[in-house]
Amino acid sequence: MRTARRIEKLPPYLFAEIDRKVAEAKGRGADIISFGVGDPDLPTPQHVVEALIEAARDAGTHRYPSYTGMPEFRKAIADWYGRRFEVRLDPDTQVQPLVGSKEGIFHLPVAFVDPGDVALVPDPGYPVYETGTILAGGEAHLLPLREQNDFLPDLGSIPRDVLERSKVLWVNYPSNPTSATADLDFFVEAVAFCRRYNLLLAHDAAYTEITYDGYVAPSALEVDGAEKCVVEFHSLSKTYNMTGWRIGWVAGAPAAVEAIKRLKTNIDSGIFDAVQRAGIAALEGPEGPLRDTVGIYQRRRDLLCDALKSMGIVVEPPKGSIYVWVPVPVGHTSESFTTFLLDEVDIVVAPGNGYGPTGEGFVRFSLTLPDDRLEEGVERLRKVVT
Ligand SMILES: *Cc1c(COP(=O)(O)O)cnc(C)c1O
């Protein structure tokens, strides 16, 4: 038996060593507190669960769903865009539901990147932009996100010959893992850049609803001309604590949405209709649960940032996402600080270099652990004098 070469081209799994150490620590009975994974600990709002139960009882939801999603769900998405961003979308040509946004993020390069083509990918960034590109036979050109540039890519520094082969520019704000945000001016610049070089701008907007201190994140689709060259990925996963449900969507340029649609009819068979009805309930239901969720993360963020300060690590509390991106103390690498926290205080964090080489020198703390565990974790951090 021989696997395909494309499998060998995938980057190695960088958390393997950490996972091994965590398993070993658990084996000796350690009480591990994990700030590692970004998977909301809070439950899905009750009215969304009820909508699923009711819809699942209706045999009309039990057959193959439509490839293009329920018209009512697409309309709920378009209406939400109108309310939230004042962006008008045609639900028939500009909205495509996805089996979780990761599904569409992974498949986008299959529709846009031929062998020899390049996708411009943030470094550090969500790994799927790069792996999707590699598995489509393309090349990822990494765009370093540096603190001195507010973790925004320096589009002007991309070499001309790379740009000539590029098809897609990926961006993600509020960002995983850096928790940085971008204002509308950045998207204006990015859209102009993409129109100039004939690129698709793909904005992963998974965290636009998880923002703090009154900050409101923009949509790339607010920019004039966006309908010509922008797609935006959204997900119910983080906004409504629905990671297990697998539901999201892509919206924007009709030509791009059409290409993704055409591809997907050959891959999956849509999202369970009952889950789409629950998605409608989430988008059209009361906003209290989201406000509560954001309030809980904001309090956790403040507790964590205070504790880090007492260790001598000063981080500006992020305005969005469910992460805090933390520079490691002098003398440490991402890996050594991760190991130090695990060995000394049984705390797991994600080493920054796992998200790309420019992530070296940082670790990512996720805020998705129950309050009592986070408080216990914070107490432990305060005891570590570096
Ligand atoms: C969590 C996350 C997603 C959402 O993935 P789903 O497949 O919709 O659950 C997308 N992008 C980023 C950067 C994320 O962190």
Side-chain angles (χ1 to χ4, degrees):
M1 182 187 72
R2 290 173 305 143
T3 57
R5 275 192 294 274
R6 70 175 75 87
I7 289 292
E8 282 145 29
K9 276 200 219 156
L10 287 176
Y13 182 58
L14 274 153
F15 303 117
E17 181 62 11
I18 303 294
D19 285 353
R20 194 187 61 72
K21 288 205 177 105
V22 170
E24 191 182 280
K26 281 188 176 150
R28 61 174 154 76
D31 175 27
I32 298 284
I33 295 180
S34 179
F35 290 86
V37 290
D39 185 359
D41 59 302
L42 300 164
T44 304
Q46 198 55 36
H47 71 276
V48 178
V49 176
E50 295 300 334
L52 173 77
I53 292 169
E54 197 183 312
R57 286 209 174 95
D58 175 357
T61 64
H62 295 177
R63 307 186 68 193
Y64 278 121
S66 149
Y67 288 118
T68 55
M70 290 173 67
E72 299 86 347
F73 182 46
R74 279 188 273 111
K75 181 174 181 306
I77 291 165
D79 290 348
W80 179 81
Y81 255 96
R83 288 195 305 278
R84 172 64 178 82
F85 299 112
E86 292 181 30
V87 167
R88 289 231 310 271
L89 295 176
D90 175 353
D92 293 331
T93 61
Q94 293 193 277
V95 177
Q96 172 61 39
L98 299 169
V99 192
S101 63
K102 180 180 182 182
E103 179 261 302
I105 290 167
F106 176 80
H107 283 135
L108 179 117
V110 182
F112 277 87
V113 175
D114 283 315
D117 288 349
V118 172
L120 305 167
V121 165
D123 158 30
Y126 185 57
V128 187
Y129 316 132
E130 182 175 3
T131 51
T133 302
I134 292 172
L135 288 180
E139 266 171 56
H141 176 83
L142 301 183
L143 303 179
L145 306 182
R146 301 187 202 282
E147 192 167 18
Q148 64 262 32
N149 202 24
D150 298 326
F151 299 106
L152 299 172
D154 179 3
L155 300 177
S157 73
I158 304 166
R160 192 69 202 216
D161 60 313
V162 172
L163 268 179
E164 276 161 13
R165 293 192 293 131
S166 298
K167 303 284 276 290
V168 181
L169 168 61
W170 284 101
V171 295
N172 163 227
Y173 295 100
S175 151
N176 175 12
T178 70
S179 70
T181 52
D183 57 21
L184 194 59
D185 288 346
F186 169 74
F187 290 108
V188 170
E189 185 202 336
V191 168
F193 184 83
C194 285
R195 292 192 66 184
R196 178 138 139 240
Y197 293 102
N198 200 16
L199 305 176
L200 174 69
L201 179 65
H203 178 218
D204 180 354
Y207 296 102
T208 52
E209 307 318 295
I210 312 288
T211 58
Y212 311 115
D213 307 326
Y215 170 75
V216 178
S219 160
L221 297 179
E222 289 173 47
V223 178
D224 284 341
E227 71 287 350
K228 296 206 170 62
C229 66
V230 180
V231 286
E232 192 158 79
F233 290 89
H234 279 271
S235 171
L236 298 180
S237 288
K238 313 297 169 29
T239 310
Y240 298 106
N241 305 321
M242 292 174 72
T243 46
W245 297 54
R246 313 314 304 135
I247 182 166
W249 67 84
V250 61
V257 170
E258 171 61 29
I260 292 170
K261 250 185 218 182
R262 195 201 283 205
L263 177 70
K264 274 173 59 66
T265 55
N266 292 289
I267 296 173
D268 62 72
S269 299
I271 308 163
F272 183 20
D273 277 349
V275 170
Q276 294 186 64
R277 286 203 207 161
I280 297 170
L283 290 173
E284 298 189 339
E287 283 173 8
L290 173 58
R291 269 202 305 275
D292 294 347
T293 298
V294 167
I296 289 166
Y297 287 139
Q298 185 168 315
R299 183 176 153 271
R300 292 176 181 174
R301 175 201 70 165
D302 292 341
L303 276 173
L304 178 62
C305 289
D306 284 350
L308 290 167
K309 201 188 278 173
S310 75
M311 296 174 73
I313 303 174
V314 179
V315 280
E316 187 72 25
K319 287 188 288 180
S321 86
I322 55 176
Y323 309 105
V324 181
W325 185 240
V326 177
V328 302
V330 176
H332 271 295
T333 62
S334 297
E335 206 74 39
S336 75
F337 190 54
T338 301
T339 303
F340 170 82
L341 289 177
L342 184 58
D343 290 348
E344 297 298 318
V345 281
D346 294 330
I347 282 179
V348 176
V349 296
N353 60 325
Y355 300 90
T358 308
E360 177 52 53
F362 290 84
V363 293
R364 191 194 74 174
F365 282 77
S366 165
L367 301 172
T368 56
L369 64 177
D371 283 6
D372 59 332
R373 298 302 284 164
L374 181 119
E375 280 160 21
E376 163 72 22
V378 156
E379 284 314 307
R380 290 187 197 174
L381 285 177
R382 287 185 196 282
K383 286 188 201 128
V384 194
V385 182
T386 54

